[in-house]
Amino acid sequence: MKLRRREFVKLTAAATAVTAFGGLGFDLAPTKAHAQLLSLRKGKETTSVCCYCAVGCGLIVTTDEKTGRTINIEGNPEHPINEGALCAKGASLFQLGENEKRVTAPQYRAPGSDKWEEKSWEWMIEEIAKRIKKVRDTTFAEKNSKGQVVNRVEGLASVGSAALDSEECWVYQAFLRSLGLTYIEHQARICHSSTVPALAESFGRGAMTNHIIDIKNSDCVIIMGGNHAETHPICFKWVTRAQEKGAKLIHVDPRYTRTSAKADLYAPLRSGTDIAFLGGMIKYILDNDLIFKDYVLNYTNASFIVGPDFGFNDGLFTGFDEAARKYDKKKWAFAMDENGVPKRDMTLKDPRCVYQLLKAHYARYDTKTVSSVTGTPEDKLLEVYKTFTETSAPEKSGTILYAMGWTQHTVGVQNIRTMAMIQLLLGNIGMAGGGVNAMRGEGNVQGSTDHALLYHIIPGYMATPNAALQTYEEYIKANTPVSKDPKSVNWWQHKPKYFASLLKAMYKDADLNTAYSWMPKLDVGQNASWLILFDQMLKGQFKGFFAWGMNPAASGANSHKTREALSKLDWMVNVNIYENETGAFWKGPDMNPKDIKTEVFFLPCAVSYEKQGSITNTGRWMQWRYAGPKPMGKCKPDGDMIYELALKLQELYKKDKGAFPGPILGLNTSDWGDGHEFDPHKVARLINGYYLKDTVVKAADGTETLMKAGSQVNGFPNLKDDGSTCCGNWVYCGSYTDKGNLSERRDKTQTPEQAKVGMYPNWTWSWPLNRRVLYNRASVDLNGKPYQPEKPVLAWDAANKKWLIDVVDGGGDAGAKHPFIMQQHGMGALYGPGLNEGPFPEHYEPMECPIAEHPFSTRLNNPAALIFAGEEKKRAVCDPRYPFVCTSIRVTEHWQTGVMTRWQPWLIEAQPQMFCEMSEELAELKGIKNGEKVILENQRGELWAIAMVTKRLKPMNVMGTPTHLVAIPWHYGWIWPKEGGESANLLTPSVGDANTGIPETKAFMVNIKKA
């Protein structure tokens, strides 16, 4: 039955459950309603995890055993994260699967056609496989232009997908790499790709340092680059818990939002000026000697001496090549002693030590100057600085929560780096209630990144092989760091074990050298990230394309360019639940289907609760989901589609070898299923890893155990570099042992110490090795005594020579090891010489901005940012035609491009169409009234929106000039609803961060006028 929200709210509580979830009838008599509720409760119950944001809320799915369809979805009250609560999207999940507009059979669009044709699965798999083989065989490159062996396919590309379960992600990347693809991208590139290098450079790993529940332990929470009360409501519950215990909440954002309304302190700032704001905080900390000195001396590289070649002048670090827009990072190296260990000055007085260089770099960032650039009043700046830096006291901790407001900038990595440095100065890393915590927006974007659906990494955050490394031995030598410091764990020294085990997981029957030769190679320095992928597509490089669980025609920056690029393809595979702007681009605005040759194969997939498998939330918790109803109609789980395609390609290459058949025929599909159906448990065991031959394993106490071939490896320390173990991803080794699938655990038992901080070590499993707080060695002093005894995450039991509470990061006795074990030198990095635009973050304006210069240097924009020749004329810098700063935003009711939520009646009624939030002052200036239709425009396009005139936005005084901001959601698109509006990305520029290429969609320039 169809039910509008206004009718919904009139129903009684009992009738609400019956009618909204079950459609069990209209008779609302109490007796009938009670009987129907009893019927609902008798359905089959399964547990799942919400598929929307990456908080990881638990669900209970009730399936009618007679019809096989879902009759109810509710929050799981036993789940420690959401405790039964759900946000608007989670509460509407029933409508995602039980929806008459869902595509339930494969659809085919022929070249030049204006309609879909329904096809059988057999036909679709056969035809797609034939096209893959044809493009692969005709565009396969054995060598590059330099004559180096690369063994890659030039005519295929893929984007997707964080919507897949982790087991599906792993087999998808293996499938793509067996074909020879190097252009492999997914959601992380355009949402949180800047998180990984920022955190990895700072701490060693690219993941959220703590976990969702741990937020409650904070003494001060700063939310910057996010609006979590609206975008991550269940996560925000834990912010509220912290406030209830006395914590302060600070919100820094261009808009006054629902998060601001809950904050103890709100400070506005102009979008794109976060480094200026945070640089001012670094100066405040150093000027007032507010560092946690014991922590900074012992656990960071503040005392390291930087070599004589490093310098900084007028916005540029030494070593910049203007023509190449690139730095020579060798100029930024540390000075080494005779043993090859960085020199240190523990007094922090040497002018070449990191601490003094840091102090000199941020000396320019005084509050008056920062205020003039950011638009933040000086008194607000000082209040934020004072409040948050109080967490430098050893017994206190502060956390930062952020999201796209930080990541989607041409300085996205350095935005996050700046705060990571602040957290190191204040001693907030490794602590309960501390950390740098990314609030991710896709249910499995963490797991899908771990499993490397990105061009530059392979599973476990190892570098994609490049053409300079022609042999297995060369790769190992180039990618295995060495440290001469006896206290540096330098965990990446074990990379040979992880890489060898990955190769055997992909190509079990091949020797390591052969398996390595089968891996496609990038050219040295090649960038195959999102924006470049679509730029190359527009130029005609690709014949075939996979858009798997993604909607790039609406989600990518400069959407007109993306849509035009899709028209240059011979064929495309689009996998999704509903028709979307990508799969149906050929019938969209400004498109004439007769002129578009692109064949489209639309494959309808199961929704998340119609299949089983694991997903990893933003806090690194790997959680297992179970299937409730069967997939609707002829829909299939993604894993089955990938498996069938791989088997079909193997069949075709057995019949007709084609180009370089080895990696396809040698692909280890035997561990993917039974030869017909995909088996997520089987793949999960492969990802964990098992022994390929009988192996003697020695424990820490010296005891030896014979592990038989086929038995599971119980943790990555036991992986081997000789090809005797296979492991799909070393990070997940220990998740599925001979004891079973640990991600299925649902035991809330804790020790009293663990319960103090809400660690829940027996509820599911967390990577690595079930560690709940990364870098937890930094939470104790050199004797193993917790800095925060009231909320410890780790403590050394000297009598029994063991660590208590959490799983220790790195092993060894107290004080024996530096705490940042993934770093070559074991220290948290205040100075980060591995990033592309410099060791210290520097304020640069967005590539489109309202000012022509800023006071920190004469360099207006990031000198190493990703740009495209010929597009500079389409960028507005202090352009009177486009005077207003625009930023894209999110709302609670919708998710990403709305590809799933726009089809749900409850959600689309709550947020039915595109709107533009603006200040009363701007509305008066432009003669616009609340509720009127307006046009936003710039050089790339235009779109309409409904004006939302509000007091929540105010003009800012930037460099002495009033500056207006407008905000538009990015959840809409032309396909549905028909009067819903278009994608915000029609207006965003195709410019990217210097390290990751993430597009800058949070700060661009527009004009606004009445429609």
Side-chain angles (χ1 to χ4, degrees):
M1 63 173 290
K2 294 182 179 179
L3 184 67
R4 295 180 66 79
R5 184 172 292 270
R6 293 179 186 85
E7 299 162 329
F8 172 84
V9 298
K10 295 178 182 178
L11 303 179
T12 65
T16 294
V18 175
T19 312
F21 293 121
L24 301 178
F26 292 93
D27 188 345
L28 303 183
T31 303
K32 179 79 176 228
H34 178 68
Q36 291 169 328
L37 282 171
L38 287 177
S39 174
L40 183 152
R41 292 181 185 127
K42 288 180 180 178
K44 180 185 75 171
E45 288 188 346
T46 52
T47 58
S48 189
V49 180
C50 184
C51 61
Y52 289 115
C53 82
V55 169
C57 296
L59 306 172
I60 295 176
V61 180
T62 306
T63 304
D64 187 316
E65 295 188 82
K66 292 182 179 179
T67 66
R69 299 314 310 158
T70 313
I71 53 176
N72 187 33
I73 295 179
E74 59 190 278
N76 183 352
E78 296 299 313
H79 199 285
I81 291 177
N82 60 310
E83 301 174 320
L86 294 173
C87 73
K89 294 183 291 294
S92 302
L93 259 172
F94 169 84
Q95 293 186 335
L96 178 64
E98 306 302 318
N99 194 309
E100 64 185 15
K101 290 184 169 59
R102 186 175 167 186
V103 181
T104 58
Q107 305 291 315
Y108 170 72
R109 185 262 175 181
S113 175
D114 62 355
K115 65 179 185 295
W116 292 108
E117 304 171 46
E118 184 175 324
K119 298 289 187 179
S120 70
W121 275 106
E122 292 75 16
W123 187 89
M124 294 289 267
I125 295 296
E126 178 82 26
E127 293 301 313
I128 293 169
K130 286 179 181 177
R131 282 156 182 75
I132 292 172
K133 186 176 188 301
K134 180 180 179 181
V135 173
R136 185 179 184 274
D137 289 349
T138 56
T139 69
F140 192 84
E142 179 189 357
K143 296 181 179 181
N144 63 12
S145 59
K146 295 181 179 180
Q148 297 166 315
V149 175
V150 292
N151 288 333
R152 66 189 183 216
V153 62
E154 306 279 12
L156 292 171
S158 171
V159 298
S161 172
L164 303 182
D165 293 344
S166 288
E167 295 70 31
E168 295 170 327
C169 288
W170 193 90
V171 299
Y172 188 47
Q173 69 80 30
F175 170 66
L176 295 176
R177 290 185 163 99
S178 75
L179 296 176
L181 269 75
T182 53
Y183 282 91
I184 301 172
E185 289 285 271
H186 85 302
Q187 283 94 332
R189 179 66 60 195
I190 56 175
C191 67
H192 265 284
S193 61
S194 37
T195 287
V196 176
L199 299 187
E201 183 74 9
S202 303
F203 313 132
R205 303 180 183 94
M208 179 175 176
T209 58
N210 296 45
H211 59 94
I212 298 295
I213 297 168
D214 183 66
I215 296 167
K216 73 172 185 174
N217 299 311
S218 185
D219 295 291
C220 187
V221 180
I222 183 168
I223 296 177
M224 192 171 175
N227 174 19
H228 303 313
E230 296 191 68
T231 59
H232 298 80
I234 305 304
C235 166
F236 196 78
K237 174 179 69 172
W238 296 103
V239 176
T240 303
R241 296 276 175 91
Q243 287 181 285
E244 290 168 352
K245 298 192 317 186
K248 297 293 184 182
L249 171 60
I250 300 168
H251 189 218
V252 182
D253 198 88
R255 300 184 305 137
Y256 187 92
T257 67
R258 288 187 175 94
T259 302
S260 315
K262 294 292 185 180
D264 300 286
L265 172 58
Y266 166 71
L269 90 164
R270 176 168 60 94
S271 185
T273 61
D274 304 82
I275 291 174
F277 188 103
L278 296 172
M281 191 186 298
I282 291 176
K283 177 176 169 60
Y284 181 87
I285 292 168
L286 300 179
D287 285 354
N288 294 284
D289 195 22
L290 295 174
I291 66 170
F292 183 172
K293 191 166 185 179
D294 186 61
Y295 187 107
V296 169
L297 276 175
N298 292 311
Y299 297 157
T300 79
N301 65 11
S303 63
F304 285 23
I305 306 298
V306 177
D309 290 339
F310 170 77
F312 176 82
N313 181 52
D314 193 26
L316 287 178
F317 297 90
T318 48
F320 187 66
D321 182 333
E322 196 80 50
R325 297 176 53 82
K326 187 177 180 181
Y327 280 103
D328 176 4
K329 298 178 190 176
K330 294 176 183 177
K331 302 282 187 182
W332 307 338
F334 293 116
M336 298 292 192
D337 67 15
E338 64 277 6
N339 298 316
V341 177
K343 292 180 179 179
R344 302 179 70 179
D345 170 30
M346 298 302 282
T347 70
L348 302 183
K349 293 180 179 178
D350 190 305
R352 297 298 298 176
C353 79
V354 168
Y355 181 82
Q356 292 297 336
L357 292 174
L358 184 71
K359 201 168 188 177
H361 187 82
Y362 290 104
R364 297 163 293 142
Y365 287 66
D366 60 275
T367 53
K368 183 176 181 179
T369 306
V370 169
S371 177
S372 72
V373 171
T374 62
T376 311
E378 281 191 75
D379 60 336
K380 287 292 185 181
L381 283 172
L382 289 169
E383 192 176 359
V384 171
Y385 296 168
K386 180 179 185 300
T387 303
F388 192 71
T389 57
E390 288 174 357
T391 64
S392 67
E395 71 278 6
K396 289 190 174 185
S397 57
T399 189
I400 168 67
L401 309 180
Y402 72 92
M404 285 350 48
W406 267 6
T407 63
Q408 292 176 333
H409 290 277
T410 45
V411 291
V413 170
Q414 296 286 21
N415 281 339
I416 302 158
R417 261 285 292 157
T418 319
M419 192 67 205
M421 292 158 60
I422 288 171
Q423 291 294 70
L424 287 171
L425 290 169
L426 300 178
N428 280 329
I429 301 300
M431 309 289 183
V436 178
N437 293 309
M439 294 291 104
R440 292 176 170 88
E442 293 262 0
N444 196 34
V445 75
Q446 181 66 61
S448 54
T449 303
D450 298 338
H451 295 305
L453 283 170
L454 292 164
Y455 89 92
H456 68 289
I457 53 172
I458 53 178
Y461 298 95
M462 294 180 284
T464 300
N466 69 54
L469 309 174
Q470 290 284 286
T471 67
Y472 173 77
E473 290 76 16
E474 288 173 332
Y475 178 92
I476 292 298
K477 183 178 180 180
N479 285 282
T480 307
V482 175
S483 175
K484 301 293 181 66
D485 186 339
K487 292 182 70 174
S488 175
V489 176
N490 184 27
W491 200 270
W492 278 121
Q493 68 177 290
H494 303 294
K495 193 175 293 185
K497 301 177 182 180
Y498 309 149
F499 187 56
S501 298
L502 169 63
L503 290 178
K504 295 300 287 187
M506 291 181 65
Y507 304 114
K508 186 165 60 175
D509 297 326
D511 62 75
L512 294 176
N513 288 307
T514 299
Y516 180 74
S517 74
W518 287 349
M519 295 289 281
K521 313 293 189 297
L522 294 164
D523 289 337
V524 175
Q526 182 182 353
N527 186 337
S529 63
W530 182 282
L531 290 176
I532 289 177
L533 185 158
F534 283 101
D535 192 64
Q536 292 299 108
M537 185 185 294
L538 183 63
K539 295 174 181 176
Q541 175 173 330
F542 305 118
K543 304 299 181 184
F545 177 58
F546 300 96
W548 206 296
M550 289 203 72
N551 186 17
S555 63
N558 200 351
S559 289
H560 280 307
K561 180 178 179 179
T562 303
R563 295 172 187 184
E564 184 182 354
L566 294 173
S567 71
K568 307 298 183 183
L569 296 166
D570 286 352
W571 55 266
M572 170 174 64
V573 175
N574 184 215
V575 183
N576 226 304
I577 301 169
Y578 295 95
E579 189 178 27
N580 57 81
E581 284 75 19
T582 298
F585 82 94
W586 43 273
K587 59 178 177 178
D590 304 318
M591 294 287 178
N592 183 352
K594 293 180 180 180
D595 297 333
I596 297 173
K597 65 174 182 177
T598 312
E599 280 185 291
V600 183
F601 300 85
F602 183 93
L603 306 182
C605 58
V607 299
S608 58
Y609 51 84
E610 293 175 340
K611 60 182 179 178
Q612 68 169 321
S614 72
I615 63 171
T616 302
N617 78 348
T618 191
R620 297 170 288 102
W621 285 20
M622 174 190 178
Q623 302 186 85
W624 197 263
R625 303 194 283 203
Y626 297 92
K630 292 182 179 180
M632 180 180 278
K634 297 178 182 178
C635 297
K636 285 190 177 189
D638 301 88
D640 286 83
M641 301 181 209
I642 299 162
Y643 188 35
E644 289 176 29
L645 277 171
L647 293 177
K648 180 59 68 172
L649 262 296
Q650 288 182 327
E651 177 187 314
L652 293 178
Y653 274 90
K654 283 177 185 175
K655 182 179 178 182
D656 175 13
K657 296 300 184 190
F660 201 61
I664 293 175
L665 297 177
L667 187 61
N668 177 27
T669 54
S670 63
D671 277 328
W672 296 11
D674 62 2
H676 302 283
E677 289 188 357
F678 179 74
D679 185 343
H681 280 281
K682 202 169 184 179
V683 176
R685 287 191 287 268
L686 175 65
I687 290 170
N688 175 89
Y690 60 84
Y691 294 93
L692 293 170
K693 64 180 183 180
D694 293 356
T695 304
V696 174
V697 176
K698 183 179 288 188
D701 61 5
T703 59
E704 294 184 345
T705 304
L706 176 64
M707 303 299 295
K708 302 293 287 184
S711 58
Q712 296 293 103
V713 182
N714 65 6
F716 50 71
N718 292 325
L719 294 174
K720 305 294 182 183
D721 63 2
D722 60 1
S724 61
T725 56
C726 70
C727 172
N729 191 327
W730 73 274
V731 169
Y732 284 79
C733 191
S735 64
Y736 206 132
T737 67
D738 287 332
K739 294 180 180 179
N741 183 358
L742 301 189
S743 72
E744 293 184 276
R745 295 185 302 174
R746 297 296 181 265
D747 180 359
K748 294 170 76 172
T749 303
Q750 304 183 80
T751 66
E753 291 81 9
Q754 291 165 343
K756 275 185 179 181
V757 295
M759 200 162 282
Y760 296 101
N762 300 302
W763 184 276
T764 194
W765 183 88
S766 176
W767 73 257
L769 296 178
N770 205 36
R771 187 173 298 120
R772 301 292 160 138
V773 177
L774 297 179
Y775 322 111
N776 51 30
R777 285 189 90 103
S779 72
V780 298
D781 64 19
L782 295 177
N783 297 311
K785 181 181 177 180
Y787 286 121
Q788 301 178 354
E790 294 304 310
K791 49 180 181 180
V793 296
L794 201 65
W796 175 246
D797 180 351
N800 296 298
K801 291 280 188 179
K802 65 178 183 179
W803 292 98
L804 306 175
I805 311 176
D806 198 6
V807 178
V808 67
D809 211 345
D813 295 355
K817 303 293 180 184
H818 297 316
F820 292 91
I821 68 168
M822 304 301 294
Q823 298 281 54
Q824 182 178 8
H825 304 299
M827 297 293 186
L830 294 169
Y831 180 89
L835 297 180
N836 288 344
E837 64 274 87
F840 295 135
E842 170 72 0
H843 170 72
Y844 300 110
E845 286 290 317
M847 297 302 283
E848 294 199 341
C849 58
I851 59 177
E853 59 183 22
H854 64 79
F856 296 112
S857 76
T858 59
R859 282 277 166 174
L860 184 64
N861 309 119
N862 185 343
L866 174 62
I867 59 174
F868 294 90
E871 293 187 13
E872 59 274 1
K873 294 180 180 179
K874 290 187 176 182
R875 292 199 295 269
V877 175
C878 202
D879 188 333
R881 297 174 300 167
Y882 310 108
F884 309 123
V885 179
C886 188
T887 190
S888 61
I889 62 170
R890 300 177 180 226
V891 298
T892 301
E893 293 81 1
H894 287 301
W895 178 79
Q896 311 301 45
T897 65
V899 72
M900 297 195 299
T901 54
R902 280 187 270 134
W903 297 93
Q904 297 181 49
W906 293 353
L907 298 176
I908 198 62
E909 184 169 358
Q911 290 284 359
Q913 61 192 163
M914 190 70 169
F915 63 86
C916 175
E917 187 171 357
M918 66 183 74
S919 68
E920 293 175 332
E921 292 84 352
L922 177 58
E924 183 178 356
L925 178 69
K926 301 295 289 185
I928 295 168
K929 294 181 180 178
N930 189 54
E932 288 186 331
K933 184 177 279 192
V934 297
I935 300 294
L936 288 92
E937 61 182 0
N938 61 20
Q939 309 95 312
R940 290 169 294 279
E942 68 173 41
L943 54 81
W944 65 261
I946 301 300
M948 179 190 289
V949 181
T950 173
K951 296 180 185 295
R952 303 193 308 173
L953 279 177
K954 297 288 185 184
M956 293 180 179
N957 185 350
V958 175
M959 303 285 288
T961 303
T963 302
H964 294 277
L965 174 83
V966 296
I968 53 175
W970 74 291
H971 306 297
Y972 298 96
W974 61 266
I975 202 162
W976 186 263
K978 294 305 180 184
E979 296 300 320
E982 257 284 20
S983 171
N985 280 312
L986 292 175
L987 303 177
T988 57
S990 43
V991 294
D993 169 84
N995 301 276
T996 68
I998 191 170
E1000 186 160 65
T1001 58
K1002 293 302 180 195
F1004 53 98
M1005 303 303 294
V1006 299
N1007 183 39
I1008 187 167
K1009 60 187 181 183
K1010 290 179 70 170

